[in-house]
Amino acid sequence: MEKIQQIKEKFFLLKEKIEKQIQETKILDKYIFRQLMEVFLFGVVIFTSLIFASETFTQLIKQISLYGIPFNIAGMMVILNLPQVFVLSIPISTLFAVVMTINKLSLDSEIVVLKACGIGINRIARPVFAFAILMTFLSLFINNVIVPSTSKQSQLLAVYSLQQKHIPEGKKNYTLKEKDSDHNLKRLFYVQECKDKALSNITVLDLSNKDTIQLIQAKKGSTATTGWIFKDAVAYTISNTGKIFNTAVSDEFTINFGIENMDFEKIISGNASQYNYFKLLRYIIKNKGKAHFPIKMERKYRVELHDKVALPMTTMALALVGIPLAITPPRVRYNRGFLFSILIIFLFYLIRAFSINLGEAGTLPSFLAAWLPVIIIFVIGYILYKKKAYSI
């Protein structure tokens, strides 16, 4: 009986010890996870602002200045383009969070204390990898569910605004070409000057009808949602042989350019960003070998297809390489996390730009072009992590 009682006491002591260790490790996981989340959110704000300001915002400003897109539509396009920027900022924000968090633990000697308690690098890295996996799935979801929808809406807004034929304020000698589905010239617009939202000396060459050519000239005019309003205008209808069929003179009339009948879905159907992985794959297979889908475009789309998965998976690779680089040697008493983050981000995007360009040029297979940066970063991270986790 005494032996049974002793065994029971040992069992309960062991149970209490295990429960205590589980509770302590849960506290450690929560502590590291909270630190990662705080730095990650800060990184998302910083890197999203930088990427957006350097790429997306610059392109939108060009569209506003060149094509006269109204500011309310431009503002909506800004919001709709943010998910695309999030997909780029999530991996680098995760790296930033991992490096800064682990580096802080190292500088504060918390890693030394944890090791003294029998908690190694592998155990410390567990919540980091869990966080990276969570961010990977978040990036995959945004890239394949949210981005296709918002990208399509942004393109529809841009096409609709361009079809309204808004002219940038203060623009002189402005020309705008409109092409059909076969990329043939459909209409040519010329405006000598746009001042105070009024157009002067307008010429429109309409080639949409195969049998005739229409030439419209007006001294003054303006744009509206229903089309262009011409004042003191003359419209000539000319045959293909040069014979004038009809001449119309009017003090004011409105010409609708068929905006309400345009198939916007067809116009933007060739943009890869509006498809998720499976829809883009079907689009490539369906259009392969067709005249409007040359081999150069096919290579570009295939690279984008594989990149829809490769880019989110970069989050795991960057987290793996970030852990060993963030662990500071005992004699180093300054924070190297930010410097390492910048260097790794620069290296990754340098490899990524080089690889994707080679893939679009046909030098590398499309799959390898998209996954090569991830593979390189993962291999480097694995070597460094193994050295730190098992050699110390």
Side-chain angles (χ1 to χ4, degrees):
M1 293 294 292
E2 291 181 2
K3 288 184 178 180
I4 294 175
Q5 187 65 29
Q6 289 177 357
I7 292 172
K8 286 182 177 180
E9 289 177 358
K10 289 181 179 180
F11 173 77
F12 285 116
L13 287 173
L14 180 61
K15 182 181 178 182
E16 289 179 2
K17 187 177 179 180
I18 292 173
E19 289 177 350
K20 186 178 179 180
Q21 287 180 346
I22 292 173
Q23 186 66 26
E24 289 175 352
T25 54
K26 284 183 178 180
I27 293 172
L28 175 64
D29 290 341
K30 290 180 181 178
Y31 175 73
I32 294 177
F33 201 88
R34 185 173 63 251
Q35 296 290 324
L36 288 168
M37 184 58 71
E38 290 175 359
V39 183
F40 172 79
L41 294 175
F42 176 75
V44 166
V45 174
I46 297 298
F47 292 116
T48 299
S49 302
L50 291 174
I51 295 171
F52 185 79
S54 62
E55 294 182 10
T56 310
F57 189 71
T58 304
Q59 293 176 2
L60 290 175
I61 291 297
K62 286 182 179 179
Q63 290 179 341
I64 293 170
S65 60
L66 291 176
Y67 305 114
I69 295 178
F71 281 99
N72 59 337
I73 294 180
M76 286 298 299
M77 290 172 63
V78 167
I79 297 172
L80 291 171
N81 276 282
L82 282 176
Q84 290 184 352
V85 184
F86 286 150
V87 175
L88 292 171
S89 64
I90 285 175
I92 57 180
S93 298
T94 302
L95 169 67
F96 183 69
V98 169
V99 172
M100 295 298 288
T101 300
I102 300 298
N103 199 205
K104 183 177 181 299
L105 293 175
S106 181
L107 288 174
D108 294 343
S109 300
E110 291 178 279
I111 290 181
V112 176
V113 174
L114 290 171
K115 284 184 177 180
C117 296
I119 301 175
I121 299 297
N122 285 327
R123 180 61 190 85
I124 297 171
R126 196 179 299 173
V128 176
F129 289 137
F131 180 81
I133 292 171
L134 180 63
M135 292 303 107
T136 299
F137 280 107
L138 176 63
S139 184
L140 277 168
F141 175 78
I142 294 174
N143 201 26
N144 288 277
V145 177
I146 298 178
V147 168
S149 177
T150 57
S151 177
K152 180 185 289 187
Q153 293 301 319
S154 177
Q155 292 165 47
L156 286 172
L157 280 175
V159 171
Y160 178 80
S161 179
L162 290 176
Q163 292 301 322
Q164 301 300 308
K165 306 294 181 295
H166 292 286
I167 308 298
E169 181 67 26
K171 199 75 173 181
K172 292 185 178 181
N173 298 320
Y174 179 82
T175 57
L176 180 64
K177 296 178 181 179
E178 182 181 334
K179 297 182 179 181
D180 59 18
S181 58
D182 296 325
H183 302 284
N184 296 319
L185 182 63
K186 187 177 180 181
R187 294 186 184 94
L188 179 65
F189 304 87
Y190 170 79
V191 178
Q192 187 180 50
E193 185 180 10
C194 177
K195 188 176 182 180
D196 298 328
K197 297 184 180 180
L199 313 179
S200 60
N201 296 330
I202 313 157
T203 301
V204 179
L205 179 64
D206 191 344
L207 306 175
S208 58
N209 194 320
K210 295 181 180 180
D211 298 325
T212 61
I213 299 172
Q214 189 174 47
L215 182 66
I216 306 168
Q217 291 181 315
K219 289 290 184 181
K220 296 180 180 179
S222 60
T223 59
T225 55
T226 55
W228 277 22
I229 301 173
F230 294 91
K231 296 180 180 180
D232 301 327
V234 180
Y236 304 94
T237 303
I238 308 169
S239 67
N240 291 329
T241 59
K243 182 181 177 180
I244 298 178
F245 282 153
N246 185 27
T247 302
V249 180
S250 177
D251 294 334
E252 178 178 319
F253 63 92
T254 302
I255 295 183
N256 186 284
F257 297 105
I259 298 168
E260 71 282 356
N261 298 321
M262 295 187 65
D263 187 358
F264 290 160
E265 297 288 339
K266 186 177 180 180
I267 292 173
I268 67 170
S269 61
N271 195 300
S273 63
Q274 66 158 334
Y275 299 109
N276 60 30
Y277 181 88
F278 298 104
K279 287 185 178 179
L280 182 56
L281 179 60
R282 288 197 295 268
Y283 179 85
I284 293 172
I285 295 172
K286 181 181 178 181
N287 293 276
K288 184 177 180 180
K290 294 185 179 180
H292 70 278
F293 197 66
I295 187 66
K296 184 178 180 181
M297 185 179 293
E298 182 185 344
R299 287 199 299 262
K300 182 177 183 298
Y301 278 31
R302 285 192 178 276
V303 172
E304 291 191 33
L305 172 71
H306 297 297
D307 193 53
K308 286 184 178 293
V309 179
L311 183 58
M313 291 301 296
T314 306
T315 307
M316 284 296 300
L318 290 175
L320 182 64
V321 77
I323 293 172
L325 289 178
I327 299 176
T328 307
R331 296 180 182 179
V332 178
R333 303 309 302 168
Y334 61 91
N335 194 318
R336 307 186 304 176
F338 184 76
L339 177 61
F340 277 137
S341 297
I342 299 300
L343 290 176
I344 296 168
I345 291 167
F346 175 77
L347 175 64
F348 169 73
Y349 279 104
L350 182 66
I351 297 172
R352 173 179 162 80
F354 181 72
S355 176
I356 287 178
N357 286 331
L358 289 179
E360 292 179 354
T363 307
L364 284 178
S366 57
F367 178 85
L368 185 59
W371 283 92
L372 184 61
V374 185
I375 294 171
I376 292 174
I377 296 296
F378 182 84
V379 170
I380 294 172
Y382 177 77
I383 294 171
L384 293 175
Y385 181 83
K386 187 176 180 180
K387 184 178 179 181
K388 284 284 185 180
Y390 299 103
S391 299
I392 299 177

